[in-house]
């Protein structure tokens, strides 16, 4: 009988599914499995704030960790069984593919490892089963939590770790074993087909069946010995100090670390791993990120290689020794799915904590500046070190974006970043390498992690305090007026994100509100930053899509120079991918005040229109423009628009949002009932302390209604309008043009010019209040309403109304510049 057929029959007799032989053999790839629960690693040797929890919560988390360990042991045992099945299929036939010596090399210590882990798994499963049976009803939950204190497993871990030396022989033979497998594959292609046909059927479900190669199975013990230390570290973190397991787990962790350290030292001389497609694994990018695991944040050094992401823990070396990296986790790039989201609003406690750190950093920076010209003693060095430590704390806890990574096998990790620009650079670099969707032979992680010191391109975390002083960097107020963008291929809701660098004393990122759905988004929104040591400005255009996540359309970087920027606006056009963004910059240098704990923006409602316009750096307040845009987008055909009232609660929510956060308000506006949107616009004008048309013009406008000649009447009314302050005049004109467009569809929406004048007249024009400096004749209430409606009606009938300007003209010193990215 053919050797291959005999081996296949053997596998089938052992109930191991075997795929049919392919006409063309696949390349040497493997499906990376990931049933291991993501076990957190201990944090980097930088200052961090410990997460405090009650003993009951610790025991609950401990039980979750133990269940995850048991599940991962079950998967690992199935992999060892598959490896042993491969042994008998390749060596137990009448014409074996592997010689007895090759079997000894490839499968050295595998049966012993299987027996060791089988014993550990059985003991752990029995004790966990007994624990889970101690209580099942909700009322017994607290009692079961306390009974968790009686769950003892430390002896099981200590027994297993005392036998961990079994892995030493396997690791020593690993490279030779892989070489034997490759030679057998080259000499007999059917051996490869047989190896690739082996399947692990987890939980009996075809959907979760994982395909392995010999190389992948041989790597599993190598991966497991690294995971053992991480598992013990995680379990010890969730075990109370007064628990009977604590001492045993401490000793087990010490033994595991000692073994792993010895393996690391012995693997320094191992050669690089060659990828199965003839490529050599290369480092493409590295940098410091925050790794989120089990609700904890840890600063990590992330390495992006040609075929995988490697997350490591950086260990500062003592003087005279080399830095070290410890393995945390890795993800193959093949099939990796990425998704980024903005984190939820920070809690008040987090805001207070960040403010405290920033304030201390600010005062340390001030002290260092004052001592810069004095003697450089021990005190100054200590303050600089303290400033670096606080920067690291801020870097770890002030993140605002989450980059979620999901492997096809189900393994996931989340990175936290404070910069959308940096996140997009990581995302682009990863996606560029995942285009081929090719999986490779798993790496020797011990060797790869040890090589990080020599391969790294980034030496230290991005700390501004470690940068050299630069006279050209900015210290003061940087204003960015974002005007508009063009170049969209299809209509979209777009916002612009602006980031600055420098010290983290103040907010370093701001966003415009989302534009209305269009091909040519415009904002005319002014963003302001307090900066200290700023050198670069990052600009990103982001498309906002309901329910599908945001998409970065393009990004650009602008170098800041205090010698070229000044208090006059400087206009620039940035090429960011498919979009061209027009913005203006101005810079006012001045000493900075300590950071404040509250960054609440000033309110919009019940505030004079001139003050709101000045605060926003515009001529027409954003609340007016955004409501008008939204009504014109989806309310022009609504019957009774501006006459039918929206829900009072919905209007109140939108009003509160505009008073606190323009971005949030516009986001809510996009999904609110259109009658609530029109209601907010009416409410804004109604609650103005001074109407859009100043009260001292009421009598003059009332008298124009007596002018019989229509043209003379309109000329007089326009002349009076020109005497209004700029924001009042342009806001009134902006609204009039909008209402004229609404009336053009009066056959559908039933809103004629007279109807619109009746709705808005009392809000836009009011008579002076007697006793508040007004000495003229009083106006009868009925006459007052007639004047209000008639004046607005006549303005609406004017066909040659001047165009409204929505934003201030940003005059520049020089011609417009264009930055290409």
């Amino acid at each position: 009988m053919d050797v291959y057929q005999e081996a296949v029959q053997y596998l089938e007799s052992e109930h191991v599914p075997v795929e049919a032989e392919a006409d063309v053999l696949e390349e040497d790839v493997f499906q990376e499995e990931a049933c291991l629960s993501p076990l957190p690693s201990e944090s980097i040797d930088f200052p961090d704030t410990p997460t405090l929890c009650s003993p009951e919560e610790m025991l609950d988390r401990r039980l979750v960790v133990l269940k995850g360990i048991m599940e991962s042991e079950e998967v690992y045992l199935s992999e060892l069984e598959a490896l042993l099945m491969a042994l008998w299929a390749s060596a137990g036939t009448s014409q074996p593919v592997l010689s007895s010596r090759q079997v000894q090399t490839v499968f050295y210590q595998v049966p012993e490892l299987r027996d060791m882990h089988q014993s550990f798994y059985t003991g752990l499963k029995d004790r966990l089963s007994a624990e889970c049976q101690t209580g099942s009803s909700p009322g017994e939950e607290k009692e079961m939590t306390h009974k968790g204190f009686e769950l003892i497993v430390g002896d099981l871990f200590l027994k297993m770790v005392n036998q961990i030396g079994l892995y030493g022989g396997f690791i020593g033979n690993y490279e030779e074993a892989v070489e034997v497998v490759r030679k057998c594959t080259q000499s007999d292609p059917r051996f490869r087909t047989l190896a690739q046909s082996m399947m692990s059927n987890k939980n009996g479900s075809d959907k979760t069946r994982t395909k392995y190669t010999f190389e992948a199975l041989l790597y599993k013990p190598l991966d497991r010995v690294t995971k053992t230390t991480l598992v013990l570290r995680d379990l010890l973190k969730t075990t109370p100090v007064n628990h009977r397991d604590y001492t045993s787990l401490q000793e087990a962790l010490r033994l595991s670390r000692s073994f792993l350290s010895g393996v690391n030292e012995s693997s320094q001389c191992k050669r690089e791993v060659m990828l199965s497609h003839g490529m050599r694994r290369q480092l493409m990018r590295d940098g410091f990120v925050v790794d989120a695991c089990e609700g904890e944040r840890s600063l990590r050094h992330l390495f992006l290689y040609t075929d995988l992401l490697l997350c490591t823990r950086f260990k500062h070396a003592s003087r005279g020794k080399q830095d070290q990296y410890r393995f945390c986790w890795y993800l193959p790039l093949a099939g990796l799915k990425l998704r980024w989201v903005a984190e939820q609003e920070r809690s008040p406690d987090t805001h207070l904590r960040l403010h405290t750190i920033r304030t201390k950093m600010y005062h340390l920076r001030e002290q260092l500046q004052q001592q810069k010209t004095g003697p450089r003693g021990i005190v100054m060095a200590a303050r600089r070190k303290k400033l670096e430590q606080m920067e690291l704390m801020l870097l770890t806890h002030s993140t605002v974006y989450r980059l979620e990574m999901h492997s096809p096998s189900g393994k996931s990790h989340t990175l936290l970043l404070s910069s959308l620009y940096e996140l997009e650079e990581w995302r682009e670099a990863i996606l560029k390498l995942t285009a081929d969707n090719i999986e490779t032979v798993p790496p020797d992680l011990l060797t790869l992690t040890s090589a990080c010191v020599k391969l790294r391109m980034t030496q230290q975390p991005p700390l501004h305090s470690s940068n050299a002083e630069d006279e050209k960097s900015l210290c003061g107020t940087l204003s960015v007026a974002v005007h508009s963008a063009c170049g969209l291929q299809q209509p979209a809701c777009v916002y612009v994100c602006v980031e600055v660098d420098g010290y983290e004393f103040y907010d370093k990122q701001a966003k415009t509100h989302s534009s209305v759905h269009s091909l040519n988004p415009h904002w005319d929104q002014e963003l302001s930053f307090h900066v200290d040591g700023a050198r670069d400005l990052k600009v990103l255009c982001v498309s906002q899509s309901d329910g599908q996540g945001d998409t970065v359309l393009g990004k650009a970087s602008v170098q800041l120079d205090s010698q070229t920027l000044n208090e006059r606006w400087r206009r620039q056009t940035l090429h960011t991918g498919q979009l061209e963004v027009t913005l203006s910059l101005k810079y006012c240098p001045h000493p900075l005040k300590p950071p404040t704990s509250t960054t609440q923006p000033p309110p919009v409602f019940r505030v004079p229109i001139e003050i709101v316009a000045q605060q926003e750096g515009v001529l027409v307040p954003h609340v007016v423009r955004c409501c008008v845009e939204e009504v014109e987008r989806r309310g022009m055909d609504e019957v009774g628009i501006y006459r039918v009232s929206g829900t009072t609660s919905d209007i109140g929510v939108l009003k509160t949002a505009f008073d606190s956060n323009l971005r949030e308000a516009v986001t809510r506006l996009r999904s609110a009932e259109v009658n609530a949107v029109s209601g907010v616009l009416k409410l804004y004008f109604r609650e103005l302390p001074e109407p859009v048309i100043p009260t001292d013009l009421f009598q003059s406008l009332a008298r124009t209604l007596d002018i019989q000649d229509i043209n003379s009447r309109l000329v007089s009314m326009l002349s009076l309008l020109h005497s209004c302050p700029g924001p009042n005049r342009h806001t009134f004109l902006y609204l009039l043009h909008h209402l004229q467009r609404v009336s053009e569809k009066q056959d559908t929406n039933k809103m004629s010019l007279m109807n619109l004048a009746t709705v808005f007249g009392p809000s836009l024009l009011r008579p002076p209040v007697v006793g508040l400096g007004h000495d003229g004749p009083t106006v009868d209430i009925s006459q007052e309403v007639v004047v209000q409606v008639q004046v607005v009606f006549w303005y609406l009938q004017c066909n040659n109304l001047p165009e409204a300007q929505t934003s201030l003209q940003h005059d520049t010193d020089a011609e417009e510049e264009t930055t290409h990215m």
Side-chain angles (χ1 to χ4, degrees):
M1 181 183 293
D2 185 273
V3 176
Y4 171 74
Q5 292 297 330
E6 186 178 351
V8 168
Q9 286 186 7
Y10 175 82
L11 288 174
E12 290 176 345
S13 69
E14 296 294 329
H15 307 290
V16 178
V18 180
E19 293 181 342
E21 183 176 4
D23 293 334
V24 181
L25 296 177
E26 297 178 357
E27 301 224 38
D28 185 14
V29 300
F30 78 103
Q31 284 291 119
E32 182 261 346
E33 71 83 28
C35 284
L36 290 175
S37 300
L39 301 173
S41 307
E42 59 183 320
S43 59
I44 197 167
D45 287 348
F46 294 132
D48 200 358
T49 302
T51 302
L52 299 177
C53 58
S54 66
E56 290 80 8
E57 290 173 330
M58 285 188 69
L59 290 171
D60 285 339
R61 292 176 62 183
R62 182 174 188 264
L63 192 59
V64 171
V65 171
L66 284 171
K67 289 179 180 179
I69 293 172
M70 185 183 70
E71 292 171 1
S72 67
E73 281 289 319
E74 186 175 355
V75 173
Y76 181 49
L77 281 170
S78 69
E79 292 162 349
L80 291 177
E81 291 290 351
L83 191 56
L84 290 173
M85 196 67 67
L87 163 65
W88 301 119
S90 55
T93 56
S94 59
Q95 297 180 14
V97 177
L98 299 178
S99 66
S100 58
R101 181 181 176 184
Q102 289 172 329
V103 168
Q104 178 68 13
T105 299
V106 175
F107 300 98
Y108 183 65
Q109 299 288 29
V110 173
E112 290 81 359
L113 291 174
R114 189 270 314 271
D115 294 343
M116 177 182 78
H117 281 274
Q118 183 64 58
S119 174
F120 171 76
Y121 169 75
T122 303
L124 183 61
K125 184 178 180 181
D126 290 344
R127 296 190 190 183
L128 283 177
S129 298
E131 168 66 20
C132 292
Q133 292 173 3
T134 58
S136 57
S137 63
E140 299 175 2
E141 183 177 351
K142 186 172 182 181
E143 181 184 355
M144 186 176 68
T145 301
H146 286 291
K147 285 182 178 293
F149 199 85
E150 303 300 323
L151 176 61
I152 306 300
V153 295
D155 58 315
L156 298 177
F157 282 92
L158 196 56
K159 178 182 177 182
M160 180 182 67
V161 172
N162 277 322
Q163 303 176 63
I164 201 170
L166 291 172
Y167 279 96
F170 183 90
I171 294 171
N173 283 304
Y174 175 72
E175 287 191 2
E176 189 177 351
V178 172
E179 190 62 29
V180 168
V181 169
R182 285 175 178 165
K183 286 182 179 179
C184 290
T185 298
Q186 293 170 1
S187 63
D188 191 346
R190 293 172 301 176
F191 178 75
R192 171 178 293 280
T193 306
L194 181 65
Q196 290 180 337
S197 298
M198 293 183 302
M199 309 290 286
S200 172
N201 202 355
K202 303 172 195 170
N203 302 324
S205 171
D206 290 339
K207 293 182 180 179
T208 58
R209 197 165 58 180
T210 300
K211 179 178 177 180
Y212 294 103
T213 63
F214 255 131
E215 292 93 335
L217 285 173
L218 282 172
Y219 169 70
K220 296 302 177 181
L222 207 68
D223 181 48
R224 192 66 183 180
V225 71
T226 306
K227 291 287 196 300
T228 300
T229 300
L230 304 180
V231 163
L232 283 165
R233 188 185 305 151
D234 184 72
L235 184 58
L236 192 62
K237 287 166 64 177
T238 58
T239 301
V241 178
N242 58 343
H243 196 285
R244 284 191 291 167
D245 266 349
Y246 195 82
T247 303
S248 300
L249 293 176
Q250 263 191 328
E251 177 63 13
L253 180 59
R254 186 190 67 79
L255 292 173
S256 178
R257 278 175 167 167
S258 177
F259 175 78
L260 194 60
S261 178
V263 170
N264 275 329
E265 292 177 3
S266 64
S267 66
Q268 294 290 337
C269 59
K270 291 185 179 180
R271 61 184 176 83
E272 290 185 35
V273 177
M274 179 73 74
L275 303 188
S276 50
H277 294 267
M279 300 162 48
R280 188 166 293 279
R281 181 172 289 122
Q282 296 179 345
L283 179 63
M284 309 303 291
R285 176 186 173 89
D286 71 312
F288 285 84
V289 297
V290 177
D291 181 31
C293 188
E294 296 287 334
E296 296 184 2
R297 297 166 178 242
S298 302
L299 194 61
R300 298 287 182 241
H301 199 155
L302 189 68
F303 292 84
L304 174 61
Y305 288 91
T306 317
D307 61 326
L308 60 90
L309 268 173
L310 175 68
C311 182
T312 66
R313 172 176 173 258
F314 177 53
K315 289 277 291 182
H316 269 305
S318 56
R319 183 172 298 179
K321 295 186 178 181
Q322 191 181 42
D323 291 338
Q324 293 183 347
Y325 285 91
R326 299 291 175 85
F327 171 79
C328 292
W329 51 261
Y330 93 100
L331 285 176
L333 297 185
L336 193 64
K337 301 296 183 183
L338 304 180
R339 175 177 175 267
W340 71 268
V341 294
E343 288 200 276
Q344 296 180 349
E345 186 71 20
R346 296 188 182 114
S347 66
D349 289 342
T350 303
H351 272 295
L352 180 60
R353 180 180 178 188
L354 294 177
H355 169 67
T356 302
I357 297 174
R358 286 174 168 174
T359 303
K360 290 181 179 179
M361 284 176 59
Y362 173 85
H363 290 302
L364 281 171
R365 161 77 167 160
E366 289 291 296
Q367 292 169 358
L368 288 170
Q369 288 283 32
Q370 293 170 6
Q371 295 179 356
K372 189 164 58 175
T373 57
R376 297 176 176 270
I378 299 176
V379 175
M380 187 173 180
R383 285 174 177 166
R384 187 174 296 280
K385 182 68 175 177
K386 185 68 174 177
L387 182 58
E388 291 179 358
Q389 292 174 345
M390 289 190 171
E391 268 199 277
L392 285 168
M393 292 181 68
L394 210 56
L395 184 66
T396 305
H397 295 284
S398 64
T399 56
V400 291
Y401 294 102
R402 300 172 62 88
L403 179 59
E404 300 171 355
M405 301 173 293
H406 303 280
S407 170
S409 59
K411 190 174 183 180
S412 301
H413 286 283
T414 299
L415 302 178
L416 306 179
L417 299 99
S418 56
S419 166
L420 180 57
Y421 194 93
E422 182 186 1
L423 183 150
E424 184 62 13
E425 285 191 322
W426 274 109
R427 197 186 68 86
E428 287 178 348
I430 294 171
L431 290 179
K432 185 178 180 181
L433 294 171
T434 58
D436 294 336
N437 202 32
I438 297 174
E439 296 199 29
T440 59
V441 175
D444 177 354
L445 293 173
L446 304 177
T447 302
L448 194 61
T449 305
S450 299
C452 287
V453 173
K454 295 180 179 179
L455 295 175
R456 62 184 177 181
M457 297 177 280
T458 305
Q459 300 290 328
Q460 297 290 339
L463 304 181
H464 196 80
S465 56
S466 61
N467 294 336
E469 297 293 337
D470 186 357
E471 294 181 357
K472 294 184 178 181
S473 61
L474 276 56
C475 178
T477 299
L478 175 68
S479 298
V480 183
V482 183
H483 304 304
S484 59
C486 61
L488 279 175
Q489 301 301 312
Q490 56 186 7
C493 295
V494 180
Y495 66 87
V496 175
C497 176
V498 180
E499 299 176 349
V500 294
D501 62 349
Y503 282 98
E504 297 266 0
F505 306 143
Y506 313 95
D507 290 334
K508 297 169 60 177
Q509 184 187 90
K511 302 172 188 174
T512 67
H513 63 78
S514 178
S515 70
V516 71
H517 198 259
S518 69
L519 278 172
N520 298 297
H522 67 278
W523 303 272
D524 287 324
Q525 189 171 345
E526 190 174 317
L527 309 175
S528 184
F529 301 90
H530 289 306
V531 293
D532 189 355
R535 297 185 178 101
D536 293 290
L537 178 79
K538 313 289 188 183
V539 178
L540 302 98
C541 289
V542 186
S543 174
Q544 194 174 42
S545 178
D546 293 337
Q548 299 181 1
D550 296 352
T551 303
V552 176
L553 303 176
K555 65 184 192 301
S557 178
V558 179
Q559 189 170 358
L560 301 174
D561 189 344
S562 61
Q563 298 177 3
T564 57
L565 288 173
N566 52 44
E567 295 185 32
R568 287 180 62 83
W569 288 101
R570 177 181 175 185
R571 197 176 184 92
Q572 287 185 280
T573 298
L574 305 181
H575 289 256
T576 62
Q578 61 175 293
L579 285 182
E580 288 188 358
V581 180
T582 303
L583 51 79
S584 295
L585 303 176
K586 74 174 180 180
Y587 166 58
C588 178
H590 60 81
L592 294 171
K593 296 181 180 179
T596 58
S597 59
T598 58
T599 57
Q600 188 71 17
V604 172
F605 282 76
R606 299 178 183 272
V607 178
I609 197 168
E610 289 181 272
I611 294 178
V612 174
Q614 184 179 12
Q615 290 169 174
E616 297 180 344
V618 294
L619 288 172
V620 179
H622 287 300
V623 61
V624 176
R625 290 174 50 196
C626 293
C627 288
V628 165
E629 287 177 348
E630 196 61 27
V631 169
E632 293 192 358
R633 183 172 75 92
R634 56 190 177 95
M636 300 293 274
D637 294 327
E638 188 76 17
V639 176
I641 191 67
Y642 291 121
R643 184 168 49 81
V644 177
S645 299
T647 306
T648 303
S649 58
D650 292 344
I651 295 173
V653 168
L654 290 173
K655 173 188 173 182
T656 302
F658 273 109
D659 273 338
S660 57
N661 188 317
L662 177 61
R663 266 187 56 77
E664 179 188 348
V666 175
T667 301
R668 290 178 178 272
L669 211 63
R670 299 286 182 248
S671 58
E673 289 289 337
V674 72
N675 291 107
V677 177
S678 62
V680 169
L681 184 63
K682 292 187 295 182
L683 181 65
Y684 173 75
F685 288 114
R686 188 164 63 246
E687 291 191 346
L688 281 175
E690 175 76 9
V692 173
I693 301 178
T695 55
D696 56 8
L697 293 181
F698 185 87
Q699 297 293 351
S700 300
L701 287 168
R703 286 192 292 271
T704 61
L705 297 177
D706 297 330
I707 300 174
Q708 297 301 314
D709 182 71
I710 295 178
N711 290 331
S712 298
R713 179 187 299 176
L714 291 176
V715 168
S716 179
M717 294 179 72
L718 290 176
S719 177
L720 289 171
L721 182 59
H722 278 290
S723 67
C724 294
N728 297 60
R729 181 173 72 255
H730 289 291
T731 301
F732 184 59
L733 287 170
Y734 184 84
L735 179 64
L736 290 177
H737 283 290
H738 164 63
L739 297 180
Q740 286 177 338
R741 290 190 290 271
V742 171
S743 71
E744 290 173 2
K745 293 199 171 186
Q746 61 179 303
D747 291 342
T748 303
N749 58 37
K750 310 303 179 185
M751 295 302 295
S752 64
L753 290 178
M754 179 55 73
N755 285 338
L756 292 167
T758 303
V759 170
F760 280 93
S763 299
L764 301 176
L765 178 65
R766 301 175 211 156
V769 179
V770 177
L772 295 179
H774 171 65
D775 299 325
T778 58
V779 182
D780 181 80
I781 183 65
S782 59
Q783 182 185 357
E784 172 188 321
V785 174
V786 171
V787 171
Q788 291 167 328
V789 173
Q790 287 297 317
V791 167
V792 174
F793 177 66
W794 277 103
Y795 276 121
L796 286 172
Q797 289 185 101
C798 184
N799 294 323
N800 58 344
L801 280 173
E803 289 296 324
Q805 294 181 19
T806 57
S807 60
L808 297 169
Q809 294 298 317
H810 294 84
D811 298 326
T812 58
D813 286 332
E815 295 181 359
E816 182 175 317
E817 299 181 5
T818 301
T819 302
H820 297 270
M821 293 299 295

